[in-house]
Structures are given as C-alpha cells and as structure tokens.
Amino acid sequence: MAELVDTNRENRPYAITDGGGHSSKLSENFKKRCLKNAERSFAQTTQCQEINSISALLSMEDAAFVVHAPNGCVGCVSFMNDYFKVGQYHRGIKNIRNARYIVTSIDEKDVVFGGEKKLRKAVLDLNSRYNPNIIFVFTSCASGIIGDDVDAVINNLQEEIEAIVVPIHCEGFKSKVPATGFDTAFNAIVKYVLKKDEKPEKEAGLINVFATTSIGYKDQLEIERLLEVLGLHVNYIPFYSSVEKLRKILKAEYSVAICQVFADEFMEYLKNEYAIPYSKTGMPIGIRGTDEWFLSVARLVGKEEVALKYIDEQHKKVLPEINKIRKLTEGKKVFICAGTGRGIAAATLIEDFGMKLVGIQTPTYEEALIEDFDGLQEIHGGDFIIDVANMQPFEQVNLVNKLKPDFFLGMSNWVSKLGIASTHILEAKRPTFGYNGLVYLGRKIENSIENPSFNIKLSKHKKLPYKEAWYSENAFRYLKERV
Ligand code: SF4
C-alpha cells in the first residue's frame, strides 16, 4: 500500500529548517536557489516530532496510547492533557477524564537488555484497563536507538487483543521539523485503519476537517458555523474523533484543514487515492485569513457567491469593533513566534489592527509556503526579520531585545521575562478562529497592551539565563552560513 510520505518534512522540495535574516533578502536568495540550510554550530533543545504525533491523536474518544520512551519524552503531554480536559468541559462532558496513556519509562537497564517485554506488558495493561478500540504506540529516540522491534511486538499482540494496535514511528532524531509528526500519524492511519479497497458511498455535504487537540471548542463552533453556510457538515479528524469517524474519512465529499501545514500531505493522498478534493489555505485567523479559508472551501463546493455575501455581512458586523481596538494598536511593532502555519496567520491578522511585523520565528521556510511569506512582505514590507528556527530561545530573546517590539504574539515563555506585553496565538481554551475569534483576540491584544504589568513585574524578579554580552552579539552568530 502506498504511504502518503516516505520522507521527513525537511526533505520536501527546497525546505529550509535553519537560517535567518531580512525577509526580502531571504526571499530573493530562496528564489535564486542560493539559500542553503545554515546549520547552527550551537543550538538549544528543539520541539520534537513525537509530541506532534501525540497531539494529533490525543483527543480521540476510543483510543489509548503507549509511549515507548523514557519519562522525559512525555513532559509536554501534561499541557495537552490540560487542553483535552478543558476541551471536554467546554463540550459539556460531565465525567471529564485524563487522556489514557502509559509510558514504558525506558531506563538504563532497558537500553542494555531491550525494552520489548516492557512494551508488550504496557499494551496489555492498557488494553485491560481501558478496553479501547484502538491503541497507538509511539516510539522515541531511545526505542529507536536500542533497536526494539516495535512492529514485531505489535504484530504478535494483534493476535491476542481486539483493539487495533498501531505503531507510530516518531523517533525525535529522525526529523528536525516537528510537523513531520503529523505526517507520521496520518501515515499510520492510512496503513492500519483505512481499508485500501474500500470505496464507501459518499455522504452528501460531508467534509473532513483536519485539526489537532489544540483547537478550542469556540473555534470548533466557528468552523461549523462557516461550513453550515455552505451547506456542509463536518467530520473532524483526528480531533475528538474515533475509529468509526476515521473510517468515515472516505465517505466525505471534500477535505479541508485548519492550517496549510497540518494534513497537507494526507489531503493530497486522499485526493489521489480516493478522489476526495481538498482546499488548502492558511488558518482562518484574522479578516484576510478567514476570508481566504472560507472562500477556498466555497470555491471547492461551487458556492462562491454565497460565501461573498456572507463575508460582506460579517465584515459589517466586526469592522466597527476592530476599528475601536485599532485606536490602541495602530502602528505598534510586533514579534511573532509560532508554528509555521499559525505564525503566518498571526502575521496577517495583525494587519487588521494596524500593527507592523518586525520579526517572526518559524520552524520552516519552504517552497510550499514561499507565497505566504511573500504575502507578508506585501502587507508589512520586506524589512522584518525571519528566524528559521525550531525554538532556539537564545536567538529569539536577542532579536526581541534588539528589535524592541511593542507586542509579542505567540509562545512568550521567554520574552515575558523581558517585560514585553504578549498574548497567545495557539490557545485551546479561548477563541481565535473566524470573525468572532478575531474580535476576541483583538480584545486580548488590547488588554495586554493596556496592562503589561504582569510581564513587567516578572522581568524585575526573573532573569533569563543569558549574559548581557549576548544581547549585543549578532543573533545569527551561530549560523554556519549567513544570508
Ligand atoms: S523522542 Fe527524542 S527528541 Fe523527542 S522528547 Fe524523546 S528524547 Fe527528546
């Protein structure tokens, strides 16, 4: 059976994962094919693909998970579990539960003698404890390095238990791009859940919407509201789905994702193998982003006129609110740090509030997204800095300290200690999407600018670990090749 991707995301056509410089220069060199991956001679820890594989699947209703890894690899699962629990509360679920997962806690002894027995026991324990319909087994660097034959363990187990057992080969060392973890998860769904020869009857008006656990309930409702205008109803995948809903993927007439990075490979696969057309745009965040996302689906279903009328009504409704917020936000300089798709969406969103992009940190800069990055230059000019980095807080704080933005949008764990006003752009608990999300997010930005006292106080009491001398260095000093 064909797999949807057999390479990591860094191996996609002309994908840069390390680099930095002014946007116009990066774009120029990229188009001349002179932009090379600028390896770092010093780097801090990065986000790994395993966490994205887990995040994609964590909210599935009838699933349970074994993470075949040392305990540290699931550090981030606690915040996803938090999203999952709040998500259940927002959806009116009475008996809120934790995500069902077991970590095999690979230790020194397992590294020497192998961890296959532990893995087998974990799957059996999980199965008898929760009786799930599907068990996902996530691998890790440690299980990959010691060469545990996870597939063989699973094949043997499959004869003993009813639940489908699915290996997800997401060893962190295999890819520098966290989004590879999404492809790995979808690859496993193709291989173990979808039945290749099955051609189920189509369900009129059904659209697959691909989303992860990080999408909040209000955002879910906003997406449904938009798609209902076009006469569509939603099969969410893998977000709060089930084995049954996964199998329903093939019944859909169309597909769309909440972001151009998530599920792009999978939607292409579904188009090629099952003739399910799809639309691919940026996230429905901000006026421009929401209009484009909505219109692209409308074009897919042949209802552009309906969409344009609706867009016009929504603009009339939200623009007066936006204009009020603009009084405070107009002209403010912004630095953004987020995943590639959400970062681009955030950088278009700030246009609505008259704000100007001075810097953006993004995990990839690649052929598939160059038009989006160039679009940002049309909005903000070509002077803003792009830091192509998976995390790397030392570069981020150096740039922020130099560029002196008035506001920081995105993952602000580090810069909040510099006293800069900030708010989220990846938030499973509060609205972000569509026209309603825009007003909510605008008010959050307004509040944070009006009252930055928490971050100011934090900066007085909590210092970042860098020496003063680092802030006057070139932020890209440790890139082996500069633009
Ligand atoms: S899988 Fe590897 S890169 Fe990912 S958290 Fe574990 S050790 Fe780190």
Side-chain angles (χ1 to χ4, degrees):
M1 183 183 293
E3 291 195 355
L4 53 133
V5 274
D6 35 31
T7 57
N8 295 331
R9 288 232 165 189
E10 49 267 63
N11 299 331
R12 299 205 316 179
Y14 207 29
I16 305 294
T17 54
D18 303 272
H22 282 95
S23 168
S24 51
K25 196 79 191 151
L26 277 184
S27 172
E28 190 189 321
N29 287 347
F30 186 90
K31 284 173 194 151
K32 286 195 279 185
R33 295 293 190 253
C34 297
L35 191 65
K36 302 226 169 63
N37 226 12
E39 295 283 327
R40 287 178 171 82
S41 57
F42 166 75
Q44 291 176 295
T45 47
T46 57
Q47 187 191 346
C48 96
Q49 62 155 331
E50 184 195 60
I51 215 66
N52 276 358
S53 293
I54 298 176
S55 133
L57 300 164
L58 193 85
S59 59
M60 274 187 65
E61 289 156 10
D62 53 356
F65 312 92
V66 171
V67 189
H68 190 35
N71 273 337
C73 294
V74 292
C76 290
V77 179
S78 58
F79 84 77
M80 275 181 239
N81 190 41
D82 179 43
Y83 283 171
F84 176 51
K85 284 163 77 179
V86 173
Q88 291 172 69
Y89 174 76
H90 286 165
R91 286 166 179 82
I93 294 168
K94 290 265 177 324
N95 298 320
I96 293 168
R97 64 168 176 89
N98 285 307
R100 299 161 178 148
Y101 66 97
I102 288 182
V103 190
T104 54
S105 300
I106 291 177
D107 59 18
E108 288 92 338
K109 216 167 126 198
D110 304 318
V111 168
V112 177
F113 297 108
E116 291 173 8
K117 276 190 194 146
K118 250 186 169 177
L119 173 61
R120 184 183 154 77
K121 183 174 178 327
V123 175
L124 289 172
D125 283 355
L126 190 83
N127 188 53
S128 59
R129 211 181 281 175
Y130 302 118
N131 195 22
N133 286 334
I134 190 162
I135 295 173
F136 291 100
V137 176
F138 300 94
T139 59
S140 65
C141 291
S143 69
I145 290 166
I146 62 179
D148 274 358
D149 194 344
V150 173
D151 286 3
V153 173
I154 286 175
N155 282 343
N156 289 337
L157 276 166
Q158 197 60 90
E159 288 163 15
E160 297 170 42
I161 60 178
E162 246 179 73
I164 312 167
V165 191
V166 179
I168 310 274
H169 289 284
C170 54
E171 295 87 353
F173 61 71
K174 281 206 308 212
S175 174
K176 272 185 173 181
V177 185
T180 302
F182 298 140
D183 302 332
T184 312
F186 285 122
N187 238 332
I189 289 172
V190 168
K191 214 165 161 183
Y192 290 87
V193 184
L194 301 184
K195 297 202 172 88
K196 179 76 177 165
D197 299 327
E198 210 178 338
K199 299 275 182 232
E201 227 176 272
K202 293 285 173 205
E203 185 174 317
L206 185 68
I207 183 165
N208 296 314
V209 175
F210 294 101
T212 79
T213 309
S214 61
I215 308 302
Y217 185 49
K218 287 278 184 201
D219 284 342
Q220 176 185 334
L221 295 180
E222 185 74 357
I223 294 289
E224 283 167 15
R225 199 169 67 90
L226 287 170
L227 294 174
E228 263 171 34
V229 174
L230 303 174
L232 298 169
H233 59 285
V234 178
N235 184 31
Y236 284 110
I237 301 294
F239 162 86
Y240 289 91
S241 70
S242 58
V243 172
E244 198 190 326
K245 287 178 188 166
L246 291 183
R247 295 211 166 118
K248 219 172 148 185
I249 291 174
L250 305 183
K251 288 186 162 194
E253 289 194 302
Y254 315 99
S255 291
V256 66
I258 44 82
C259 157
Q260 71 270 57
V261 174
F262 187 69
D264 54 348
E265 299 277 356
F266 188 44
M267 290 195 298
E268 179 67 18
Y269 173 84
L270 291 175
K271 188 182 112 193
N272 296 336
E273 295 290 322
Y274 298 98
I276 301 174
Y278 69 95
S279 88
K280 187 179 127 187
T281 61
M283 282 186 152
I285 292 179
I287 296 260
R288 190 192 285 251
T290 305
D291 290 356
E292 277 173 13
W293 188 90
F294 186 45
L295 269 173
S296 77
V297 183
R299 283 188 202 109
L300 194 66
V301 303
K303 292 197 176 173
E304 201 173 346
E305 289 302 313
V306 178
L308 286 168
K309 187 166 168 281
Y310 186 76
I311 285 173
D312 193 44
E313 286 163 16
Q314 295 301 304
H315 284 196
K316 284 188 185 126
K317 218 164 96 187
V318 297
L319 284 175
E321 289 300 317
I322 302 301
N323 288 337
K324 277 189 220 159
I325 296 168
R326 270 183 96 117
K327 287 184 189 136
L328 186 76
T329 54
E330 189 83 51
K332 295 270 189 283
K333 295 187 292 174
V334 182
F335 194 103
I336 290 170
C337 169
T340 312
R342 210 173 272 249
I344 292 169
T348 49
L349 158 96
I350 59 172
E351 177 195 22
D352 297 337
F353 302 107
M355 301 167 102
K356 189 161 169 51
L357 184 68
V358 291
I360 179 167
Q361 219 177 7
T362 172
T364 54
Y365 188 80
E366 58 179 293
E367 190 69 31
L369 297 164
I370 190 66
E371 272 181 34
D372 295 318
F373 280 109
D374 282 356
L376 296 184
Q377 290 192 69
E378 280 164 31
I379 301 171
H380 299 291
D383 274 346
F384 61 89
I385 299 285
I386 299 182
D387 183 13
V388 188
N390 178 351
M391 302 290 169
Q392 307 313 321
F394 75 107
E395 280 177 12
Q396 183 189 109
V397 296
N398 177 306
L399 286 168
V400 166
N401 202 50
K402 286 202 183 88
L403 296 166
K404 308 239 173 300
D406 304 295
F407 191 70
F408 185 96
L409 198 49
M411 289 177 272
S412 62
N413 320 34
W414 306 295
V415 297
S416 51
K417 290 169 193 156
L418 293 174
I420 291 164
S422 62
T423 194
H424 71 89
I425 190 71
L426 174 68
E427 173 62 275
K429 298 175 187 170
R430 298 178 183 89
T432 312
F433 284 174
Y435 304 103
N436 289 332
L438 170 67
V439 175
Y440 184 91
L441 203 48
R443 292 196 181 122
K444 282 281 293 173
I445 294 172
E446 188 182 33
N447 287 346
S448 312
I449 292 177
E450 247 173 2
N451 184 5
S453 56
F454 178 79
N455 285 1
I456 289 172
K457 277 190 188 139
L458 194 64
S459 70
K460 286 189 183 142
H461 298 284
K462 195 82 196 146
K463 291 285 167 226
L464 286 161
Y466 310 106
K467 289 187 176 157
E468 273 313 304
W470 169 240
Y471 294 100
S472 47
E473 278 284 357
N474 182 341
F476 300 126
R477 179 187 156 169
Y478 292 101
L479 292 181
K480 287 188 193 159
E481 206 168 318
R482 296 198 199 138
V483 181

